[in-house]
Amino acid sequence: MQPISFARSFLSKGLSKSVGRASVASTVLQPAIIIGVLGCAMGVNAQAAVEASTNNNPTNGLQLISLNADEIADENDADNLSNIADMLDVADEPDDSIDSVPDESALTDDADDIDTDIPAEVAQVSLNAISPETLKTFVAVVDLVRRQYVDAVNDEELFSNAMSGMLTKLDSHAEFLDAEAYENLRAFTEGDVGDIGIKVNYRPEAGYWVVTEVIDDSPADKKGIAVGDYLHQVDEFKLDEGRQVNDVEQLLTGIAGTQVDIITSKAGRRKHTTTLQRNNSHPQIIETKLVDGIAIVKLPAFQNNSREKLLEGLINLNAPISGILLDMRDNPGGVLTSAVSVASLFMDDTDVVQVQARQNKSRVLSTQGDAILKPLPLVVLQNRYSASAAEVLASSLQAQKRATIIGEVSYGKGSVQSVIPLNDEQAVKLTVANYMTAAGKQIDEIGVEPDVTLSGNENTWEQQALELVKTRALDSGIRFVRKNATKE
């Protein structure tokens, strides 16, 4: 198992907020936590991690931590995901695809490994400290469900639900991950975002949001959600006529493998809460187009290869570029180190983000290597669904006055989750740290304030942002080509 680290991103806020998460790299592993649950002791190797970005929607901060403490991840393996707390031991390979501008950017930190020892006050609390009455009540509830619940439920399902409930009560980002969810989180680092497999519309005559489509064999289909069901709530967000279709879609969407609670009913009858995992996954593609010499780059999420895909898109334009519009609307975040790598394309020797865990001093992630795109004017377009790693990138570009941020206040997601494997098929996702801007400003529940606020029909925002880039465009553009192309 390779360690994975995510920066999480979409928890809806206000009328419309929702995002996913994640941050990733390779790491030197060290033993850390022994967890005792009702007499079942599990040894877990853990390290504080950073980012990745749930989530209640597309994106949030996760880290997969290997159980093999004696193994060190291969630094040349693109699949290795580094622990952010270890500050990314893996450096990007020199980018030979860009003529005369090799990118040797590396996210490295030679600081000592962080201390992951359990605090003394926690380590000395044994299972015996749990009230016998509490244990007795737990057993009584299990027995009651076995005997009285309307449908037969096996003990495996009961205990799985108990673990899930324990974690989700901590905060909305903590989860118990089964094999499918665990695998989807790992797959996300390569580009997957997921949903639960339904489409909904508001029906004024009924006064409710109604399920209009259920994809066969999707998570919703497997849990019995059907066309015609009323959708009343997504996580803590109640749905009414004031919401837009895009709002609800964003609430239901997130990093593949994360979970969401929905409240539904059959034509307004008894309401029922269902926990679903966003396992109806689909890859995210970085779209690049050229308009009047301006490269418009749509960056939907941050995965391991986002930096490379962004550069590849610019090369494939095969034309001079005089400015860049980076569209991060609806971007839920994702791999934190990917956001830092993208920032390294536009800025050199610049602090990007601070990460604060419970027992450690703040750690700072900075850009590394040559800023290939530094000469090009940059405008960033964001909306209320831009979260986590997207906010990290926008805030750092804004603080350095490297880009103009245009749109609306972003989501405001500033916590970091680590995904800790229990075995090859199960894992636990816990909130382990918070992150702030490089200047120490809080992002969580605040978001990034745009330099230029846009309102009204969002379909017009791209054109407005494009006009702003044009006013700053270079007189002569820069063409990006592959090295081998220059030799032909």
Side-chain angles (χ1 to χ4, degrees):
M1 286 178 290
Q2 298 295 338
I4 295 181
S5 180
F6 290 89
R8 181 166 153 129
S9 20
F10 262 102
L11 263 178
S12 305
K13 172 182 173 189
L15 267 182
S16 41
K17 291 222 171 199
S18 56
V19 191
R21 49 199 127 171
S23 115
V24 187
S26 78
T27 179
V28 176
L29 305 170
Q30 61 186 25
I33 302 175
I34 301 297
I35 303 175
V37 180
L38 296 178
C40 299
M42 296 173 287
V44 180
N45 295 299
Q47 256 182 341
V50 174
E51 188 55 347
S53 191
T54 127
N55 157 353
N56 286 344
N57 255 35
T59 83
N60 322 196
L62 316 175
Q63 172 190 357
L64 303 184
I65 303 175
S66 172
L67 295 177
N68 300 320
D70 58 341
E71 293 181 4
I72 297 178
D74 182 358
E75 292 187 354
N76 295 316
D77 189 341
D79 291 332
N80 288 337
L81 305 172
S82 79
N83 181 342
I84 295 212
D86 243 358
M87 299 300 278
L88 318 172
D89 290 339
V90 174
D92 289 339
E93 292 294 330
D95 192 333
D96 294 328
S97 65
I98 305 297
D99 184 36
S100 76
V101 198
D103 179 16
E104 300 177 354
S105 77
L107 300 178
T108 60
D109 186 359
D110 295 328
D112 294 336
D113 290 342
I114 64 170
D115 178 17
T116 56
D117 290 340
I118 301 174
E121 65 272 17
V122 175
Q124 294 177 14
V125 176
S126 68
L127 181 61
N128 293 333
I130 299 176
S131 165
E133 289 300 318
T134 299
L135 293 176
K136 180 179 177 181
T137 301
F138 179 83
V139 172
V141 170
V142 171
D143 185 58
L144 181 64
V145 172
R146 282 171 171 169
R147 292 183 290 105
Q148 299 293 333
Y149 187 64
V150 63
D151 298 318
V153 183
N154 63 47
D155 288 351
E156 290 289 337
E157 183 176 353
L158 289 178
F159 277 84
S160 177
N161 290 342
M163 290 184 288
S164 180
M166 174 182 65
L167 292 166
T168 54
K169 281 294 185 179
L170 292 176
D171 65 44
S172 58
H173 304 300
E175 296 178 41
F176 175 73
L177 305 174
D178 63 14
E180 187 175 12
Y182 186 20
E183 180 56 36
N184 275 315
L185 280 175
R186 285 185 279 198
F188 168 74
T189 64
E190 301 304 325
D192 288 348
V193 166
D195 57 45
I196 62 173
I198 66 173
K199 292 186 180 300
V200 297
N201 277 303
Y202 185 74
R203 297 284 175 82
E205 67 277 10
Y208 292 105
W209 285 86
V210 179
V211 177
T212 57
E213 181 182 344
V214 179
I215 297 175
D216 289 343
D217 206 33
S218 65
D221 185 37
K222 292 177 181 178
K223 287 292 186 76
I225 306 300
V227 171
D229 286 358
Y230 291 175
L231 179 62
H232 303 279
Q233 188 168 326
V234 180
D235 284 323
E236 69 267 38
F237 303 100
K238 295 182 178 179
L239 306 184
D240 55 30
E241 70 279 3
R243 295 203 181 259
Q244 302 297 315
V245 172
N246 187 53
D247 292 330
V248 181
E249 288 180 352
Q250 290 300 318
L251 287 169
L252 294 171
T253 304
I255 290 178
T258 57
Q259 71 182 26
V260 60
D261 292 331
I262 63 172
I263 296 179
T264 59
S265 68
K266 301 293 183 183
R269 298 171 187 163
R270 181 181 175 186
K271 294 181 180 179
H272 177 69
T273 300
T274 306
T275 299
L276 299 166
Q277 290 172 334
R278 298 180 176 97
N279 291 342
N280 184 51
S281 60
H282 36 89
Q284 297 296 288
I285 300 173
I286 295 180
E287 300 177 359
T288 307
K289 62 182 178 180
L290 192 68
V291 179
D292 298 332
I294 306 299
I296 301 177
V297 180
K298 174 65 176 176
L299 187 59
F302 289 92
Q303 277 80 33
N304 287 342
N305 60 2
S306 292
R307 169 186 167 279
E308 289 73 21
K309 291 297 183 182
L310 191 157
L311 290 174
E312 183 179 341
L314 296 179
I315 292 172
N316 290 339
L317 290 176
N318 195 28
I321 299 170
S322 55
I324 294 178
L325 169 56
L326 185 61
D327 188 347
M328 293 198 296
R329 287 177 294 176
D330 302 333
N331 184 317
V335 181
L336 181 60
T337 54
S338 174
V340 178
S341 291
V342 172
S344 297
L345 292 174
F346 297 98
M347 304 180 292
D348 50 24
D349 193 25
T350 302
D351 292 340
V352 177
V353 63
Q354 290 187 30
V355 178
Q356 177 65 64
R358 184 175 69 181
Q359 301 176 32
N360 302 283
K361 296 180 180 178
S362 295
R363 308 294 297 274
V364 178
L365 296 177
S366 304
T367 61
Q368 297 289 330
D370 294 328
I372 299 173
L373 305 179
K374 186 175 181 178
L376 292 169
L378 175 65
V379 168
V380 173
L381 183 56
Q382 68 176 29
N383 65 3
R384 59 190 177 277
Y385 302 118
S386 306
S388 196
E391 294 174 295
V392 167
L393 178 58
S395 65
S396 62
L397 292 169
Q398 183 182 57
Q400 298 299 320
K401 301 187 184 303
R402 175 61 185 88
T404 299
I405 312 301
I406 185 171
E408 60 188 352
V409 178
S410 61
Y411 174 72
K413 166 66 179 65
S415 63
V416 177
Q417 285 69 45
S418 288
V419 174
I420 306 171
L422 302 176
N423 50 52
D424 288 339
E425 294 187 343
Q426 295 174 317
V428 168
K429 177 158 63 66
L430 289 175
T431 301
V432 297
N434 294 309
Y435 66 81
M436 298 174 289
T437 68
K441 293 183 178 180
Q442 185 174 335
I443 292 176
D444 201 45
E445 298 185 355
I446 295 177
V448 177
E449 191 82 31
D451 300 304
V452 178
T453 300
L454 299 179
S455 59
N457 191 337
E458 198 170 323
N459 292 331
T460 67
W461 289 12
E462 180 183 290
Q463 185 60 40
Q464 293 181 64
L466 182 62
E467 294 301 324
L468 180 58
V469 185
K470 287 180 180 179
T471 65
R472 305 172 183 184
L474 300 178
D475 293 332
S476 57
I478 300 174
R479 182 191 296 265
F480 296 92
V481 297
R482 294 179 177 84
K483 278 188 174 182
N484 57 7
T486 64
K487 298 176 182 179
E488 295 177 354

